[in-house]
């Protein structure tokens, strides 16, 4: 079971996604969504197969990336988001869940990241792109 990804003192904070607290939002919506993604990935990839590299576009606080890392011990993930505080929170969450060695958090606009990645010689191959809530100023 994953630990709950809450900011310090954030149990009663109202989520930016509506009238639910952050904890209620995670319990009733976000965790179900990340579980759905993990189940879909399992449908096409066996846990023991060759490692996969995932790119999580707009992955911010790392909810999906951490869930994937915990579920697939051979996975490596790159999270790109343009919200600096979310990236910092994601790094903390990865440490809390002991997967920080397999998740790279990149604070950058995705368009800029893609432009740099696409011309980088010897760039790591990305096998799967996920984007649970990618929107806004990516």
């Amino acid at each position: 079971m994953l630990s709950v990804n809450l900011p310090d003192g954030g149990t009663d904070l109202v989520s930016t996604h509506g009238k639910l607290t952050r904890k209620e939002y995670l319990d009733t919506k976000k965790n179900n969504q990340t579980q759905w993604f993990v189940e879909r990935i399992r449908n096409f990839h066996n846990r023991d197969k060759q490692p996969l590299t995932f790119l999580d576009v707009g992955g911010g606080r790392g909810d999906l990336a951490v869930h994937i890392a915990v579920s697939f011990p051979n996975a490596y993930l790159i999270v790109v988001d343009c919200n600096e505080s979310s990236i910092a929170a994601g790094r903390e969450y990865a440490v809390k869940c002991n997967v920080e060695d397999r998740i790279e958090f990149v604070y950058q606009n995705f368009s800029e990241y893609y432009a740099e990645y696409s011309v980088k010689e010897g760039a790591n191959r990305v096998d799967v792109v996920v984007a649970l809530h990618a929107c806004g100023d990516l």
Side-chain angles (χ1 to χ4, degrees):
M1 182 72 165
L2 290 173
S3 63
V4 178
N5 188 8
L6 289 170
D8 291 337
T11 303
D12 297 323
L13 291 175
V14 175
S15 170
T16 58
H17 300 284
K19 296 180 181 182
L20 301 174
T21 66
R22 172 93 176 135
K23 182 165 179 6
E24 291 169 333
Y25 174 72
L26 287 170
D27 289 343
T28 63
K29 295 186 182 220
K30 188 76 168 264
N31 291 342
N32 294 333
Q33 294 166 348
T34 62
Q35 182 61 39
W36 183 90
F37 259 92
V38 167
E39 290 169 5
R40 301 294 80 67
I41 294 165
R42 275 201 185 102
N43 285 340
F44 77 85
H45 184 72
N46 183 309
R47 291 174 63 120
D48 300 325
K49 287 186 179 177
Q50 179 178 340
L52 289 178
T53 297
F54 291 82
L55 174 62
D56 186 355
V57 179
R61 296 182 58 84
D63 295 310
L64 180 57
V66 167
H67 198 147
I68 292 170
V70 168
S71 299
F72 297 93
N74 291 332
Y76 178 77
L77 295 102
I78 303 163
V79 177
V80 179
D81 199 292
C82 61
N83 183 316
E84 190 171 16
S85 63
S86 290
I87 287 290
R91 286 184 181 119
E92 290 176 17
Y93 186 47
V95 169
K96 187 176 182 180
C97 295
N98 297 312
V99 293
E100 72 276 8
D101 60 327
R102 294 186 295 114
I103 303 178
E104 175 185 353
F105 286 88
V106 179
Y107 166 57
Q108 190 171 25
N109 175 293
F110 180 70
S111 297
E112 295 167 3
Y113 175 83
Y114 178 74
E116 289 176 16
Y117 176 84
S118 63
V119 298
K120 186 186 284 184
E121 191 170 321
N124 291 334
R125 186 184 86 189
V126 170
D127 300 298
V128 180
V129 177
V130 294
L132 182 58
H133 290 286
C135 58
D137 297 328
L138 296 178

